[in-house]
Amino acid sequence: MYNAVKKRWKMTSTLSDSRQLNQKFEAVAHDKEAKRIMGPLSTPTKGSEVAGGGEPWTPTSNLKMLISAASPEIRNREKEKTVSEELENSSQDTEQGEESERLQLSRKEKSLGLLCHKFLARYPDDPNPAVNNDICLDDVAVELNVERRRIYDIMNVLESLNMVSRLAKNRYTWHGRAQLAHTLALLQREGEKHHYNQQIQQIRQRHADDVLEMDGEEKENEDTDLEITLRETVLSETSADAKGASRKDKSLRVMSQKFVMLFLVSSPRVVSLETAAKILIGEDQVVDQDKSKFKTKIRRLYDISNVLSSLKLIQKVHVTELRGRKPAFKWTGPENLSLQGLQVEPSSCPGPLESRSSIDNCTKNLFCSPGTKRGFTRHHSLVKLAKSIQDDRRKISSAPTSPVKITSDSANGRFCTSKMDHLAEICKMQLDQQAVNVQKQSNQKDEEKSSPVPRSMTSGAEACPPTVQLSFAPPPPCCSLVPVLLPHAVYVSHTPVRPRPIARPPPSTAVRSMTFESPRGANTKVSPPSVTITNQRLLHGYEPASPALKRTCLTSLERSPAKIKRIETNSKSLSPKLCQILQARLKDRRGALTSSRASARALHLEPEFNKTPHNNPDTLEHNTELQHFLETEEREEKSQNHTQATPTPQDSNRHTNTETLIPTGYLIPISQQPLLSFKETPTSSGDAHKTPTYIYHTPTAGSIAPSPQEFTPSPLPVHRPTHRVSPNPSILNFTLQNLALIHNTHGATHMAPAAEQPSPIPCTHTLHTSHAHTPLQSHGMIFIKPVSPLTLISLQQPSLTTPKSGSAPQQCFFHTPVSTMVTPTANKSLYIPQRKLDVNSEEH
DNA sequence: ACATCCCGCCAGATC
DNA sequence: GATCTGGCGGGATGT
């Protein structure tokens, strides 16, 4: 397969090369020009790359012309394309010169930025919805003479800004800048929520301090305050990076959105790559993990920057700091972003990210009768839901190493079944409701149309509301699906920002406790100050232990598959060390940790994780010991906290927190009640406050929906200490595994519940409803199988459908990487994003 | 030497 | 199983 892919790529490159060669032949180029003029190449709609030639008749053409004029390189490139195309048609002899040709092109000529320019030149900023704005990656790749891989990079960034949306495999829909302002506004808001500005300041300050004095202690102190916040946020967000979810969490889309957020919240709208990378990665990790990660992040940021630069949203600059001159980017995009439009009725309009396709998918396909065939492939998920569930169960149960999984099994069957049943009903309801919503939306649209955004692309996306609509406000049920832009990452952090209508217990910092190892090693200690800070934050309404954070921890544990593998590879040698570390850590933790353990529940770790321990005998031994140790601790903790054990809402929250620790993707803790409380405002746009539901988008299966409840106060102090230490993913994973082995006591501690929960499937609906029934539900834990996001989605839908049902369930959704959303309430538009897009409008 | 970032391997996700 | 996606990082190129 790979070979095949490679071949394909090679072919592409070959073509490119040949084209390049052709480039030399100016005459040929001219011919091409003529051809272009004659007609669009492959995609008429797109306007083909003719740009260079300049097609006066279309905006795109004009744009192209301008670009070409501005950049000879672009022009040449265009020519090359044309030429190459001709060559292709005529002959393929070019291969010989491929290499040479390739080399001939300067690096700049092959830059992503230039490529993006070319790409953008093909489409109008404000596309006519009536026209077919579909983008075929293959066509684009061919036309632009680049490998598909490069196109993905561009598409990912554009998608993060909702300038395009994925329709189906190999297919995207172009939205242009119509929704850009809205999207940016959303991102800005998200950035504010995440306190990125603080993070930036923190980092800057820290750098300054570092330069001035290398004193370790001081640094430590510094960390306490904002840094902690930053870390939390970052980590939480990073969590995405971390693993679990799928690599998608680390996707360029998420990074791009975060990156943009940094600009939007930073006072001097200048962000250095270093700062951005740190924030995106999390300083701890940066410090701790080799710099490779940092380097990689920087590389990615360059990729993103190139695209954003092409969009003219940022501009490269250099900032001079104490340490010297550093590359940075300055925001040159729109400055005054307002969410006004966004706030429009949530229900009516799909989020900026929403695309016609998504809407269509949701409305037409998804919610159509389950049995119906869906035009969109992704919708298969619905159809396959049952199958997926079963598969998941099977997998889970089969998982040799994870006891937890096994547990989930028994109940799963029923759980799934019931869910399915619900699903059908929900779908039905949803359809009905949808019809109503559509009408409403249409009405609203008229009003809202104030914004020039053409939302619905072609065919009736009746549902497709203008971008403006996205209101953050309580997203309609469907909206939940609607990607408000919050990228996966986003979802993580926002928790902190959200206002909690209900007095909920302070968030627990359980997550932190999970992080055993501080990157800084010895330095990390539990610092009382940090605890204090946490509390303060809580008071302020920040949630230190944001779900995101938790996730982060979890995620970190899981990490990307690739990484996991690496880790596993090394596990043999590392395990002993890890064990030691863990033990030491545990000792340290003993007193403090209370809830952190919960993470342990994570039991159900990915197979990979599971493998590690098992594979390595030594590890097993260590594990046993660790387990013992943990168990003991856990018991102690339980005894201490046992009061909390009772399954009251609060308890649930706690559990949730604990759950958070669980590796994302697998267990998802959802607190229902809180959600319910929030949910009430389906229509209200109140951005800021209602937000009862959060839409957590996780590209990966396991997004955790942090409920307000999640933040329980009581445990905080305990967790805090650990928190400081940055978790070593490997260690965390290891630990989690061990913990997993340890059983959880149901109520007593944090995590246990989740693991025990039988149902692997995250069905919001079920969860909520069941809340009272099963322990699982009560805990809000959901076991999500990373493997089948689709399943999750479908499950979610049901919840969507029953928006008003009032039950909490609906509020939480699990987003698979693909679709995410959670909207508790409303529901006007059903939207199922094929992929999760990122922006959330959640809070309101 | 350092900044950029292209290239394409390779694994997870989808079809 | 084939193909699509896209994370990732080696290493080339530019400054």
Side-chain angles (χ1 to χ4, degrees), chain A residues 133-152:
Chain A
N133 292 296
D134 289 359
I135 299 170
C136 175
L137 296 186
D138 286 325
D139 292 345
V140 174
V142 171
E143 292 175 13
L144 297 181
N145 293 316
V146 296
E147 296 172 8
R148 272 176 141 224
R149 180 71 194 76
R150 306 280 75 78
I151 300 296
Y152 287 127

Side-chain angles (χ1 to χ4, degrees), chain A residues 234-251 254 258 293 297 488-492 548 551-556 559-560 664 697-700:
Chain A
V234 172
L235 289 177
S236 54
E237 292 183 357
T238 305
S239 61
D241 291 347
K243 105 141 225 181
S246 67
R247 56 182 191 168
K248 286 185 178 180
D249 279 336
K250 299 188 212 180
S251 93
V254 174
K258 288 180 182 177
K293 184 161 189 174
K297 216 72 175 178
H488 323 280
V490 175
Y491 71 106
V492 178
R551 287 186 101 223
T552 305
C553 295
L554 293 176
T555 324
S556 60
R559 302 226 132 214
S560 66
T664 328
H697 299 282
T698 321
T700 56

Side-chain angles (χ1 to χ4, degrees), chain A residues 74-144:
Chain A
I74 293 174
R75 197 187 313 137
N76 292 333
R77 206 137 185 186
E78 294 288 337
K79 288 181 181 178
E80 291 180 11
K81 290 180 184 177
T82 322
V83 174
S84 61
E85 293 235 343
E86 286 188 350
L87 291 176
E88 289 182 42
N89 296 334
S90 60
S91 65
Q92 303 286 336
D93 59 348
T94 48
E95 288 191 359
Q96 340 162 337
E98 291 179 4
E99 300 281 331
S100 59
E101 293 302 330
R102 232 187 245 177
L103 294 175
Q104 290 187 350
L105 289 180
S106 71
R107 196 180 174 84
K108 286 185 176 180
E109 291 176 316
K110 292 185 278 186
S111 76
L112 194 63
L114 188 60
L115 178 62
C116 186
H117 260 116
K118 291 169 67 177
F119 177 84
L120 294 173
R122 298 164 55 85
Y123 309 92
D125 284 351
D126 197 349
N128 178 355
V131 178
N132 173 21
N133 292 296
D134 289 359
I135 299 170
C136 175
L137 296 186
D138 286 325
D139 292 345
V140 174
V142 171
E143 292 175 13
L144 297 181

